[in-house]
């Protein structure tokens, strides 16, 4: 039996790293895509390989169409035909009100979170339709429906765009045997909060979460793994909220 081959963008750290490890445990070979942190990428790749899975690291900016072309070609050459894509790479920029956020930061959030998801989905769909099927999972956010006023409305809006893409692309690609779903995490304990200028955010958010705590990256990885697996064979166009009740 051939093993599934899955591209995970933003696989070096946080939710993406947990996803690479979970998929490896489920029998996938993985192309781990990251943009800058070589050390974390190599550390996660070594942990994936220790499970017996193949893991290729590819340094690429998912918001750049030339990089995206290269990453899919490299992955297919090294690992074989693509069966899955996890569009997980994402950034928030610094926390703050829209009026105080500079245009370059707005552009980066939209380009990485939304354009990057479009570019990777487009390229993966080309390969998957040739092969006769596959599964795409987009990592959205509960912010898409909460709006995140005072924190990052532009980020929330970029994730709402990902949700709309999930619905439309699922309908467009369903006849080709390609399923497209999303996972919408709530507050998850990763390095993204320190990067937005508030490392303590997951701990403080606990008071506003019905389950009383921030989530763990592994809890999101489990939902992603399910949506990639044959167990979810009739699910497409779904946005699965994994947010502790928020
Ligand atoms: P994280 O710990 O900050 O990790 C981000 C990952 O994305 C890293 O692997 C990073 O690579 C990669 N990345 C960033 N920009 C990229 C680009 N242009 N091209 C390729 N890779 C890029 O983030 P996380 O918390 O795991 O979040 C993962 C996803 O979940 C994001 O889409 C985020 O919006 C979403 N999410 C997170 C939370 C949360 O509370 N953590 C909640 C809802 C949704 P480097 O290591 O090279 O920098």
């Amino acid at each position: 039996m051939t093993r599934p081959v899955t591209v995970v963008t933003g696989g070096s750290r946080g939710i993406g790293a947990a996803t690479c490890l979970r998929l490896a445990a489920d029998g996938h070979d993985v192309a781990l895509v990251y943009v800058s942190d070589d050390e974390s990428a190599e550390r996660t790749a070594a942990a994936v390989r220790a499970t017996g899975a193949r893991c290729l690291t590819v340094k690429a900016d998912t918001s750049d169409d030339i990089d995206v072309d290269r990453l899919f070609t490299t992955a297919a050459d090294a690992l074989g035909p693509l069966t899955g894509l996890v569009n997980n790479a994402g950034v928030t920029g610094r926390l703050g009100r829209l009026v105080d956020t500079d245009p370059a930061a707005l552009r980066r959030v939209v380009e990485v979170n939304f354009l990057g998801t479009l570019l990777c989905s487009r390229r993966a769909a080309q390969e998957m339709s040739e092969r006769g099927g596959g599964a795409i999972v987009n990592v959205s956010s509960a912010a898409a429906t909460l709006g995140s006023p005072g924190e990052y409305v532009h980020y929330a809006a970029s994730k709402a765009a990902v949700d709309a893409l999930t619905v439309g692309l699922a309908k467009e690609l369903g006849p080709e045997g390609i399923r497209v779903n999303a996972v919408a995490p709530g507050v998850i304990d990763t390095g993204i909060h320190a990067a937005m200028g508030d490392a303590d955010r997951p701990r403080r958010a606990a008071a506003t979460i019905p389950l009383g705590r921030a989530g763990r990256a592994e809890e999101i990885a489990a939902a992603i793994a399910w949506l990639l697996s044959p167990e979810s064979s009739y699910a497409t166009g779904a946005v699965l909220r994994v947010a502790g009740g928020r």
Side-chain angles (χ1 to χ4, degrees), residues 111-136:
E111 289 191 351
V112 175
N113 297 357
F114 184 46
L115 180 62
T117 299
L118 286 174
L119 291 172
C120 291
S121 300
R122 172 183 175 276
R123 195 58 177 72
Q126 288 169 349
E127 296 202 8
M128 288 172 179
S129 55
E130 256 173 45
R131 198 193 145 264
I136 297 174

Side-chain angles (χ1 to χ4, degrees), residues 140-162:
S140 174
S141 172
T145 55
L146 297 171
S148 305
E151 293 199 312
Y152 37 46
V153 292
H154 54 301
Y155 168 83
S158 74
K159 294 296 190 176
V162 167

Side-chain angles (χ1 to χ4, degrees), residues 98 123 158 180 234:
L98 182 64
R123 195 58 177 72
S158 74
V180 185
Y234 201 54

Side-chain angles (χ1 to χ4, degrees), residues 14 17 21 36 80 95 121 123 131 155 162 187 198 201 203:
L21 284 163
S36 62
L95 287 164
S121 300
R123 195 58 177 72
R131 198 193 145 264
Y155 168 83
V162 167
V187 178
D198 187 2
R201 191 163 174 269
R203 196 191 55 76

Side-chain angles (χ1 to χ4, degrees), residues 1-244:
M1 278 241 318
T2 54
R3 292 164 62 91
V5 171
T6 302
V7 169
V8 180
T9 69
S12 49
R13 296 184 286 117
I15 291 168
T19 300
C20 289
L21 284 163
R22 170 61 194 254
L23 294 179
D26 288 357
H28 294 236
D29 291 329
V30 173
L32 182 166
V33 183
Y34 70 107
V35 70
S36 62
D37 186 344
D38 302 313
E39 207 180 308
S40 293
E42 284 316 318
R43 192 182 319 117
T44 303
V48 168
R49 289 180 196 123
T51 70
R54 293 184 296 164
C55 182
L56 172 78
T57 56
V58 188
K59 192 171 190 170
D61 182 342
T62 54
S63 70
D64 180 307
D65 57 322
I66 310 273
D67 270 19
V68 168
D69 258 349
R70 175 178 55 81
L71 94 80
F72 280 92
T73 304
T74 311
D77 287 351
L79 300 175
L82 181 72
T83 60
L85 166 66
V86 182
N87 280 310
N88 166 76
V91 292
T92 64
R94 306 290 288 182
L95 287 164
R97 287 161 55 83
L98 182 64
V99 289
D100 300 322
T101 307
D102 69 67
L106 297 179
R107 192 181 301 279
R108 187 68 186 152
V109 165
V110 172
E111 289 191 351
V112 175
N113 297 357
F114 184 46
L115 180 62
T117 299
L118 286 174
L119 291 172
C120 291
S121 300
R122 172 183 175 276
R123 195 58 177 72
Q126 288 169 349
E127 296 202 8
M128 288 172 179
S129 55
E130 256 173 45
R131 198 193 145 264
I136 297 174
V137 178
N138 298 323
V139 180
S140 174
S141 172
T145 55
L146 297 171
S148 305
E151 293 199 312
Y152 37 46
V153 292
H154 54 301
Y155 168 83
S158 74
K159 294 296 190 176
V162 167
D163 289 357
L165 169 69
T166 302
V167 171
L169 202 55
K171 291 176 179 168
E172 191 166 300
L173 297 178
E176 289 162 61
I178 303 169
R179 296 186 299 109
V180 185
N181 292 288
V183 173
V187 178
I188 308 302
D189 198 358
T190 71
I192 204 169
H193 304 284
M196 62 180 87
D198 187 2
D200 202 34
R201 191 163 174 269
R203 196 191 55 76
R204 270 188 297 97
T208 66
I209 299 169
L211 288 186
R213 62 172 177 86
R216 296 187 307 274
E218 293 74 19
E219 293 175 303
I220 305 306
I224 294 170
W226 179 70
L227 286 169
L228 283 177
S229 79
E231 293 288 302
S232 63
S233 51
Y234 201 54
T236 196
V239 179
L240 174 59
R241 196 177 189 89
V242 185

